[in-house]
Amino acid sequence: MPAQPLHVGRRPVATTCPYCGVGCGVIATAAGDGCVTVAGDPAHPANLGRLCSKGTALAETLELDDRLLYPEVGGQRVAWEEALDTVAGGFARILRDHGPEAVAFYCSGQLLTEDYYVANKLMKGFIGAANIDTNSRLCMASTVVGHKRAFGSDTVPGCYEDLDAAELVVLVGSNAAWCHPILYQRLGEAAPRGESRKVVVIDPRRTATCDLADLHLAVRPGSDAILFNGLLTYLHAHGCLDPVFVECRTEGFDEALAVAQASAPNIATVAARCGLAEVAVAQLYHWFATTERSLTLFSQGVNQSSSGSDKVNAILNCHLATGRIGRPGMGPFSLTGQPNAMGGREVGGLATTLAAHMDFGDATCERVQRFWQSPTIARGPGLKAVELFEAIAAGRVKAVWIMATNPAVSLPDVDRVNQALARCELVVVSDCVRRTDTTAHAHVLLPATTWGEKDGTITNSERRISRQRAFLQPPGEARPDWWIVTQVARRMGFGDGFSYASAAEIFREHADLSGFENQGERAFDIRGLAQLDDGAYDALKPIQWPVPHPAHKGTARMFAGNAFHTPSGRARLVPVQPRPPAMAPSRANRFVLNTGRIRDQWHTMTRTGTVPRLTDHIAEPRVEIHPDDAADLDLQDGALARLSNATGTMLARVHLAEAQLPDTLFVPIHWSERFAAEARVNALIPPVTDPLSGEPEFKHTPIAVAPFRPVWHGFAFSRTPLESPDADYCVRIRGRQFWRYELAGERPGADWAAWVREHLPGGGEWLEYQDRGARRYRAARLLDGRLQACLFVGPTHDLPTRTWLARLFVETTLDGTARASLLTARPPVDQPDAGPTLCSCFGVGRNALIEAIQRDRLTTPEAVGAALRAGTNCGSCVPELRALIDDTLRPPAAALATRG
Ligand code: SF4
């Protein structure tokens, strides 16, 4: 197996980041020594040269350690021919025996548009069902419904330049500082603190995004629609609507207003129902009413709800009623989660869309079938993600092809999803990673290319189509997803429809379809790109759709003066009757669980979890809980807790957070069985979805929390990965030159001396310390003076600092002081513990920062940056730096007052 990727060439290649929907441009350069460097692309309009912590670390994700490099059938390596024949034969057989509804594809916002296009075409036009859905269902489907209801098309009206021009920015359910960091930084730079621009954050949690906020509304979970209905009522009552726009450009205003007035008649009612102070609600409403350039950014906190579609429309209603849409600095703006969620929506990667933004209907189905010249066409929507896996569990879907995603971790009720996959007759997984929770169920594994090797296009949150270009040769036998799909299609007898030789050819057809019999009624129109030759496609500069003719320069904003894409050409205001979340807290399940992303990890960690500098910011699955709740439950910071409800259970490290509202919890989404035992938060999430969008309610799950009290706690470091150690709590963390395992067990501890020799084997000398009475054990193995492995065990979670031990693994030899410190479990006095990483670019720890802030009275992130470099590269840690400065320099009395 090759240890390093092969380079295509040494010239810098302009490509795009594969993580979030910001869609940053990246310049990747393969150096002569075999290393790849990445930098932000200054010419890309999405990021203008910046990258966040994840983007900055992209070059470190290119190792081939856990790549899927060869096709496998039944766990055995086979030739591509055999793998493709197996997939095509399996799908064809099930299709013949059980019909088209018995097969399904489950795709991903990680796929490029060209990959998505051929998968959608195969399923809807040639297999004849619409059972192709995508993990975008889990993050953006509610916005798709909201857009279609209001605009008649799934169209984001604005562009990133609106962030610069806005005078009021309202962020709803969006921790942009961590989830869309470059947009967040752009917001911060557009109007430094103290200037006239106002920023409002609406979020039950006080997140890092609140660093920019002039006003934070810690809204009661699930009450957003009431807040925006109240805003519509207020705007009307105060004469702040745009009557001409409402009259000439919209429909449904009276009904929407009547429902808003009934549910949110005044500020007092809104404040009471949303759990807010009246003065805070009044401030938001006043600012919105008096600021023409108002921009509302919203994200998963709005979408991931059993009434997510309605919440989206409650926001859109306010912009339509004020005519604040399609002009600089104003409009509703959904921030997409994934790099190509928008591209998937464009081609029809959602089971509820036919193709090229066309919905199902006799005329559209006939049109698309004619365009594709396909033998059949799906006539109605297919199964949405959660329904699809329920159909697999019920045996109705018997073959599923999962592309570039990890549903065994990311869907709600993952235990049931895993059971469904275990029972499914044929599970095909195409991915770049060999071992995921999902590949464990695969009968056939197909090695796909990944970032750096893939070639095609993505669309970001502002409708901007950008090229993702290859700068590495595919390793092993990895192939592009579009190639894999077309090869299977050919073997199923559909060769005529899938004879593409390149991604460029697919893109041209995709662009052509967007303009096919499109007289302007369909917003998505890129026919102007349909004639690009291969060279022009390769050189394509980022451009925003629509691009209706070849000379067109792209469209920054929509709907300023043009018709909406409804039959009447008018936008629709949708009456929104606020609904509470599907499940209310109870005596047994008192806490409301909210889930989301953390700063340095991406999805199920298959890439970012292997990069040491990204793992130390938040190294373990954790539950964030208000200190008062923790005290109630006798939960200490750093201890372990069990979270449970009728759906499932998980273990997590307790993190006290005043940012949490009482009776609410936050748990990150990222950990899988591959990285931890019993740490998948989606084991707790019931499969409750929005009835319109099918998007799961990830943000509001009643659960119980209790201390998890193991009889022993420990951690191990090893230069080589360990077979899963036998422990009830076990988290695997990649470090520089080591793997770290956080461990705890409910059964009495093992014979630790025997344990280390079994689990940390190898030559060299052992240093050991044991205090049986205190139930403490420490051991370290050195080879030629170099630390190879160590284990520390004790009766509580109060164990030695890991940062100091991590540093010892970088040393080529340990001196006497370091050896002694291993046995005393204390770092030498001249090597203070830097603490967990806060700045991942320069590896600056929290303790080191606190010490410097106190010692040198550093009062700004700039001063900290000048002293320790922290925050001076990607800037992702600046909000945390500012909070740390505030906490560190705040007088003790002020700190107490805040906590009280
Ligand atoms: S903000 Fe970060 S993760 Fe998102 S696209 Fe840009 S560099 Fe990538």
Side-chain angles (χ1 to χ4, degrees):
M1 186 174 93
Q4 289 291 325
L6 302 165
H7 304 128
V8 169
R10 292 185 189 177
R11 70 188 163 83
V13 172
T15 181
T16 43
C17 175
Y19 296 126
C20 82
V22 179
C24 295
V26 175
I27 301 289
T29 309
D33 60 1
C35 292
V36 171
T37 57
V38 300
D41 181 354
H44 199 291
N47 56 318
L48 305 170
R50 302 180 193 87
L51 292 177
C52 76
S53 55
K54 295 182 285 287
T56 304
L58 268 169
E60 292 155 61
T61 66
L62 298 174
E63 286 182 6
L64 300 178
D65 286 357
D66 203 22
R67 279 297 296 273
L68 175 62
L69 294 170
Y70 304 100
E72 293 180 21
V73 173
Q76 301 298 315
R77 179 178 166 180
V78 297
W80 263 111
E81 293 294 313
E82 183 180 339
L84 294 166
D85 286 345
T86 305
V87 176
F91 269 76
R93 178 180 55 76
I94 290 170
L95 198 55
R96 185 186 62 236
D97 294 348
H98 303 281
E101 302 298 334
V103 302
F105 296 165
Y106 187 63
C107 301
S108 162
Q110 293 288 317
L111 291 176
L112 303 185
T113 298
E114 294 75 2
D115 305 324
Y116 252 131
Y117 179 84
V118 289
N120 186 53
K121 181 178 177 181
L122 174 57
M123 177 55 75
K124 291 183 182 145
F126 289 77
I127 290 174
N131 289 340
I132 171 170
D133 213 44
T134 153
N135 59 9
S136 300
R137 178 74 58 192
L138 310 181
C139 63
M140 295 313 302
S142 296
T143 290
V144 175
V145 171
H147 281 166
K148 284 184 177 178
R149 288 200 295 186
F151 308 146
S153 61
D154 177 20
T155 305
V156 174
C159 60
Y160 293 162
E161 285 172 8
D162 292 329
L163 275 70
D164 311 329
E167 289 170 358
L168 171 67
V169 177
V170 183
L171 291 123
V172 196
S174 167
N175 183 9
W178 283 15
C179 303
H180 299 94
I182 296 306
L183 290 188
Y184 177 79
Q185 290 178 25
R186 186 166 180 164
L187 259 185
E189 285 166 18
R193 289 175 146 207
E195 295 193 3
S196 62
R197 144 84 70 78
K198 297 283 185 263
V199 175
V200 179
V201 174
I202 299 170
D203 194 317
R205 301 167 65 213
R206 194 175 73 242
T207 63
T209 301
C210 294
D211 183 45
L212 275 186
D214 299 283
L215 177 66
H216 170 216
L217 299 183
V219 68
R220 181 172 291 143
S223 62
D224 323 54
I226 297 166
L227 187 64
F228 280 89
N229 272 1
L231 177 57
L232 186 61
T233 304
Y234 179 96
L235 293 167
H236 176 257
H238 289 76
C240 298
L241 303 178
D242 182 337
V244 176
F245 190 91
V246 170
E247 175 66 24
C248 302
R249 305 283 313 279
T250 72
E251 58 195 18
F253 172 78
D254 291 340
E255 297 87 335
L257 178 65
V259 174
Q261 287 171 326
S263 62
N266 51 50
I267 287 175
T269 305
V270 170
R273 294 187 67 186
C274 296
L276 297 168
E278 288 184 33
V279 65
V281 176
Q283 183 67 83
L284 166 68
Y285 288 2
H286 173 69
W287 280 343
F288 197 99
T290 55
T291 311
E292 174 79 350
R293 291 183 176 224
S294 292
L295 185 69
T296 307
L297 304 173
F298 59 97
S299 195
Q300 272 79 336
V302 171
N303 290 306
Q304 292 178 333
S305 159
S306 58
S307 58
S309 306
D310 282 349
K311 289 177 181 175
V312 170
N313 284 107
I315 294 169
L316 303 189
N317 284 349
C318 294
H319 281 274
L320 291 171
T322 50
R324 292 180 192 156
I325 190 164
R327 289 181 284 141
M330 64 184 75
F333 202 139
S334 83
L335 302 179
T336 48
Q338 296 200 72
N340 199 30
M342 292 280 276
R345 284 150 65 172
E346 288 153 18
V347 304
L350 290 165
T352 38
T353 307
L354 174 59
H357 272 205
M358 283 176 271
D359 287 330
F360 293 92
D362 288 346
T364 50
C365 288
E366 188 276 327
R367 179 189 300 138
V368 173
Q369 185 175 8
R370 192 153 36 81
F371 180 87
W372 280 341
Q373 298 182 23
S374 60
T376 180
I377 193 78
R379 290 279 162 189
L383 298 167
K384 306 181 193 93
V386 170
E387 298 167 342
L388 194 159
F389 283 83
E390 282 170 352
I392 294 171
R396 296 196 304 278
V397 167
K398 297 175 188 303
V400 62
W401 184 350
I402 297 164
M403 304 180 200
T405 184
N406 199 359
V409 184
S410 55
L411 280 168
D413 198 1
V414 282
D415 288 335
R416 190 160 156 75
V417 169
N418 279 277
Q419 288 162 10
L421 287 172
R423 278 196 222 117
C424 188
E425 211 171 306
L426 177 60
V427 178
V428 178
V429 179
S430 37
D431 208 322
C432 57
V433 181
R434 174 64 187 81
R435 283 180 307 126
T436 71
D437 292 18
T438 301
T439 58
H441 296 289
H443 302 106
V444 184
L445 279 172
L446 304 172
T449 48
T450 186
W451 185 79
E453 303 148 16
K454 286 170 87 85
D455 193 59
T457 54
I458 62 165
T459 309
N460 72 0
S461 293
E462 57 167 353
R463 289 175 282 105
R464 191 178 296 280
I465 298 169
S466 298
R467 290 276 284 110
Q468 201 175 92
R469 295 183 176 88
F471 55 90
L472 302 170
Q473 295 282 4
E477 295 180 4
R479 297 285 183 272
D481 285 284
W482 66 262
W483 182 90
I484 301 171
V485 172
T486 55
Q487 290 298 314
V488 169
R490 291 179 197 186
R491 281 166 173 76
M492 291 178 74
F494 307 135
D496 287 352
F498 295 88
S499 58
Y500 312 101
S502 68
E505 217 176 298
I506 299 168
F507 182 83
R508 286 190 283 271
E509 183 178 307
H510 163 58
D512 208 15
L513 176 58
S514 75
F516 184 62
E517 298 178 0
N518 183 355
Q519 311 307 323
E521 68 278 14
R522 299 188 330 251
F524 179 67
D525 181 355
I526 57 168
R527 76 185 88 177
L529 304 175
Q531 303 304 319
L532 297 179
D533 62 21
D534 288 359
Y537 172 79
D538 192 39
L540 181 66
K541 296 262 188 277
I543 187 166
Q544 288 172 280
W545 62 259
V547 188
H549 56 80
H552 201 277
K553 299 294 180 216
T555 310
R557 295 182 186 85
M558 302 283 286
F559 308 137
N562 302 336
F564 292 90
H565 296 94
T566 55
S568 65
R570 293 163 177 264
R572 297 186 202 104
L573 281 90
V574 176
V576 171
Q577 183 63 57
R579 280 182 282 130
M583 300 174 79
S586 62
R587 184 189 287 264
N589 294 317
R590 157 189 160 195
F591 290 91
V592 171
L593 169 68
N594 179 8
T595 67
R597 294 176 178 165
I598 59 175
R599 191 191 75 190
D600 287 355
Q601 289 300 329
W602 177 255
H603 281 194
T604 59
M605 299 168 66
T606 50
R607 268 187 299 224
T608 48
T610 64
V611 179
R613 71 157 133 156
L614 297 180
T615 57
D616 200 38
H617 177 236
I618 295 177
E620 294 178 69
R622 74 184 194 184
V623 53
E624 298 181 17
I625 183 168
H626 191 278
D628 293 346
D629 288 332
D632 247 18
L633 297 169
D634 195 21
L635 285 169
Q636 286 85 42
D637 197 39
L640 292 170
R642 180 177 291 285
L643 285 57
S644 62
N645 61 10
T647 308
T649 178
M650 76 171 288
L651 298 174
R653 190 74 69 185
V654 174
H655 179 77
L656 301 191
E658 288 171 7
Q660 284 298 130
L661 285 176
D663 293 327
T664 69
L665 306 169
F666 177 79
V667 176
I669 60 173
H670 307 287
W671 277 269
S672 64
E673 284 289 309
R674 182 184 165 204
F675 287 98
E678 271 207 77
R680 298 160 309 154
V681 69
N682 285 350
L684 296 160
I685 310 290
V688 169
T689 59
D690 179 304
L692 300 174
S693 69
E695 182 152 351
E697 184 148 79
F698 283 117
K699 302 289 189 186
H700 196 285
T701 303
I703 65 165
V705 190
F708 175 65
R709 302 194 200 280
V711 296
W712 62 271
H713 297 251
F715 64 83
F717 280 65
S718 171
R719 285 200 188 275
T720 52
L722 307 182
E723 288 305 312
S724 292
D726 181 21
D728 298 295
Y729 178 78
C730 175
V731 181
R732 187 169 174 250
I733 303 152
R734 183 76 187 264
R736 280 181 217 282
Q737 305 189 29
F738 61 82
W739 287 91
R740 172 179 139 207
Y741 296 82
E742 291 291 331
L743 307 164
E746 284 187 295
R747 293 177 298 282
D751 172 348
W752 294 114
W755 192 96
V756 291
R757 284 162 178 83
E758 181 189 342
H759 288 89
L760 309 174
E765 59 174 315
W766 281 102
L767 307 176
E768 282 180 280
Y769 166 89
Q770 183 148 26
D771 181 339
R772 287 188 195 279
R775 293 190 283 138
R776 293 194 184 281
Y777 177 83
R778 299 164 203 147
R781 183 168 64 79
L782 282 74
L783 184 63
D784 300 329
R786 194 165 189 225
L787 186 57
Q788 301 298 316
C790 60
L791 174 74
F792 288 74
V793 178
T796 71
H797 66 275
D798 187 17
L799 291 164
T801 158
R802 281 62 153 178
T803 320
W804 150 66
L805 281 162
R807 223 173 35 224
L808 296 184
F809 273 80
V810 183
E811 305 288 334
T812 48
T813 177
L814 299 192
D815 61 17
T817 309
R819 285 163 173 257
S821 70
L822 281 169
L823 292 177
T824 58
R826 281 200 197 92
V829 281
D830 62 339
Q831 293 174 24
D833 172 25
T837 299
L838 194 139
C839 167
S840 56
C841 291
F842 296 113
V844 188
R846 193 179 168 81
N847 295 349
L849 287 161
I850 291 172
E851 195 202 325
I853 292 166
Q854 283 173 333
R855 187 188 58 228
D856 302 329
R857 299 295 297 173
L858 305 174
T859 57
T860 63
E862 292 73 23
V864 172
L868 296 175
R869 300 176 77 197
T872 58
N873 186 37
C874 77
S876 299
C877 65
V878 168
E880 289 156 273
L881 272 182
R882 205 185 312 274
L884 192 67
I885 293 167
D886 288 350
D887 280 353
T888 306
L889 298 182
R890 192 192 304 160
L896 276 178
T898 304
R899 291 191 177 95

